[in-house]
Amino acid sequence: MTNKYYMPTKVIMGNDCIIKNSEIFMTLGKKALIVTGAQSAKRNGSERDIKIALEAVGIPYEVFDKVMSNPTISCVYEGATFANKNAVDFIIAIGGGSPMDAAKAIALLAAQEIEEENLFSGIYEHKVLPMAFVPTTSGTGSEVTQYSILTNDKAQTKTSIASDLLFPTVTFLDAKYTEHLGVLTTINTVIDALSHAVEGMLSVKASFVSNALALTSIRMIINCVPDLLQALQSGSETVISLKQREQLLHASFLAGIVIAQTGTTAVHAMGYSLTYFKEIDHGRANGLLLGEYLKLVEKVQPDLSGTILEGMNFSEAQQLKELLDELLGDKEEISVEEIKQYSKRAIQTKNIANSVVEPLEDDLRTIFTQSFAK
Ligand code: NAP
Ligand code: ZN
């Protein structure tokens, strides 16, 4: 097998990087659509900074702030209709993975007509609106991936639009917007990033480039664990310093570049059912499963799991499982029937075939069972 590396997004980072680089918006278009969730962008200063930057270079804008967590297909069609009605010619996404993923689909749908049944086909005219992204969680890495993951009620799961057209044109990394992200969302999203880095190393598409980025990301996240645990114990996000927030944002960004090359594996395949049917947050869903999946890898390919665990200063997968248990707290209930149903769904996904250690349906049932054991 041969590997490739591709990540065309321009990345601008550092304190006040949006305001200091306002002229870049003039290269994207003449009128912007700002895509956000309902509240956080207004509260954490990111939307204000974008507006200041746009006003500084005389670019008018509209705001679409209707993106919910785990965005739906109808939300992105509504966003695209709004974009066209207001004649915008580029998109600015601010928020976690939900607004960023919705913004990618809106940028695609505003540039061309796509019937809903063809939305996930991956075959589009070569047209998309230019996009600028501002991540405000440290988890999904969507700011540097070609994926837009939407809630797909027909398929009863989350489905990914994957196309190189969806890489954002430019991404701004400024950790100050993540400073007041609550403890639980911080932990859930960081675990998503950790899962991306680990799964990237467990993918059949892993290369020396993606592994180098993944290991760096893993180390950066593990270095922040003591403060994450302290934040959890105290119930206050202020324990996590801005420096650590920056580490987490950078680690998530690196893990995003990793999955842009490798895709995700069995853990994400299984996690989607937990989010769709049990409304468990995306990162938490992955975190509940990651330790047990790595234990399976440890049995079959100990060298591979050993390299990953070394990056965490662990010698066995059980230690990762225990750390994740500590970070995730009390677990949800899951029934035998649910385990059967979710395993059946996960085994059919392409993420399974993307896993170096390809689990059988039976293995998936065991992983679900052990992951939720109390
Ligand atoms: P999210 O759904 O985007 O946001 C979760 C919550 O955090 C929302 O209530 C949001 O509020 C709030 N929030 C965001 N930034 C904040 C801040 N700085 N301060 C305070 N609150 C803030 O969560 P996410 O975990 O980042 O994204 C999950 C989505 O990403 C899922 O749909 C998942 O499938 C997808 N995903 C995509 C990729 C990819 O490569 N494209 C990879 C992994 C996951 P508001 O709603 O008010 O903004
Ligand atoms: Zn993820």
Side-chain angles (χ1 to χ4, degrees):
M1 174 165 186
T2 57
N3 301 98
K4 71 174 169 64
Y5 175 85
Y6 185 61
M7 207 298 281
T9 303
K10 176 182 282 191
V11 183
I12 301 177
M13 47 201 122
N15 188 33
D16 283 338
C17 60
I18 294 174
I19 290 177
K20 287 178 183 160
N21 291 277
S22 53
E23 73 289 347
I24 202 158
F25 293 109
M26 291 193 289
T27 66
L28 301 181
K30 294 192 161 33
K31 185 174 182 189
L33 177 66
I34 302 171
V35 176
T36 71
Q39 290 175 334
S40 69
K42 292 181 182 34
R43 290 183 180 162
N44 61 32
S46 50
E47 187 174 320
R48 184 199 56 223
D49 285 358
I50 284 288
K51 287 178 176 173
I52 292 171
L54 290 173
E55 282 159 17
V57 290
I59 294 181
Y61 53 81
E62 299 287 339
V63 177
F64 181 76
D65 60 4
K66 294 189 183 167
V67 182
M68 69 293 280
S69 280
N70 302 303
T72 57
I73 294 172
S74 59
C75 168
V76 299
Y77 274 96
E78 186 187 338
T81 305
F82 184 82
N84 285 335
K85 206 175 113 207
N86 288 287
V88 306
D89 59 2
F90 73 102
I91 305 284
I92 300 173
I94 308 172
S98 298
M100 290 193 285
D101 282 6
K104 290 175 183 173
I106 291 170
L108 187 69
L109 289 166
Q112 56 187 286
E113 295 255 328
I114 305 173
E115 297 294 329
E116 200 178 309
E117 58 266 33
N118 297 326
L119 182 57
F120 299 105
S121 67
I123 301 160
Y124 314 109
E125 285 175 49
H126 198 79
K127 283 196 295 194
V128 65
L129 300 189
M131 292 176 262
F133 274 36
V134 184
T136 65
T137 63
S138 300
T140 70
S142 180
E143 68 275 14
V144 281
T145 74
Q146 69 280 48
Y147 313 122
S148 162
I149 301 167
L150 303 176
T151 298
N152 183 350
D153 287 320
K154 276 198 192 115
Q156 292 194 306
T157 186
K158 302 198 67 179
T159 308
S160 180
I161 308 177
S163 164
D164 283 355
L165 290 171
L166 297 189
F167 279 109
T169 322
V170 58
T171 276
F172 296 96
L173 300 180
D174 188 338
K176 70 169 173 284
Y177 307 129
T178 69
E179 221 175 341
H180 299 293
L181 189 63
V183 177
L184 292 183
T185 314
T186 300
I187 288 177
N188 288 344
T189 47
V190 167
I191 290 176
D192 189 26
L194 181 67
S195 200
H196 293 163
V198 172
E199 288 181 71
M201 294 184 74
L202 297 174
S203 160
V204 295
K205 299 198 200 94
S207 71
F208 74 96
V209 189
S210 62
N211 282 343
L213 297 175
L215 270 177
T216 304
S217 173
I218 289 169
R219 289 197 188 102
M220 288 165 89
I221 292 170
I222 292 296
N223 283 342
C224 294
V225 162
D227 279 15
L228 293 176
L229 286 171
Q230 216 197 319
L232 193 60
Q233 271 154 20
S234 67
S236 169
E237 73 274 7
T238 55
V239 171
I240 308 164
S241 66
L242 184 57
K243 194 82 209 137
Q244 297 245 318
R245 290 283 185 190
E246 190 170 65
Q247 289 287 298
L248 294 172
L249 185 66
H250 292 173
S252 159
F253 153 76
L254 291 178
I257 302 178
V258 171
I259 57 165
Q261 318 309 315
T262 64
T264 55
T265 62
V267 175
H268 270 65
M270 299 169 79
Y272 287 143
S273 280
L274 296 178
T275 300
Y276 187 84
F277 292 106
K278 294 180 81 70
E279 292 178 8
I280 297 177
D281 280 351
H282 174 70
R284 177 177 173 83
N286 296 328
L288 287 164
L289 302 161
L290 183 62
E292 283 298 330
Y293 180 59
L294 200 62
K295 280 164 78 175
L296 175 74
V297 175
E298 191 172 50
K299 277 191 208 140
V300 187
Q301 291 219 21
D303 287 354
L304 180 55
S305 63
T307 309
I308 294 167
L309 288 164
E310 227 176 85
M312 303 176 185
N313 302 322
F314 290 153
S315 53
E316 48 184 47
Q318 179 61 23
Q319 290 170 283
L320 173 63
K321 171 92 191 296
E322 284 165 16
L323 172 63
L324 291 169
D325 280 352
E326 200 177 347
L327 286 168
L328 294 170
D330 290 346
K331 295 174 184 174
E332 294 76 358
E333 299 286 333
I334 190 167
S335 69
V336 174
E337 191 42 50
E338 284 171 329
I339 289 178
K340 229 168 103 181
Q341 192 198 336
Y342 302 166
S343 303
K344 206 175 224 33
R345 285 176 170 279
I347 200 72
Q348 292 161 11
T349 62
K350 56 181 187 318
N351 309 52
I352 296 289
N354 194 41
S355 311
V356 172
V357 175
E358 209 177 310
L360 305 171
E361 198 173 326
D362 245 3
D363 298 321
L364 299 186
R365 282 200 288 264
T366 308
I367 293 169
F368 272 122
T369 308
Q370 306 284 25
S371 296
F372 282 86
K374 298 192 174 158

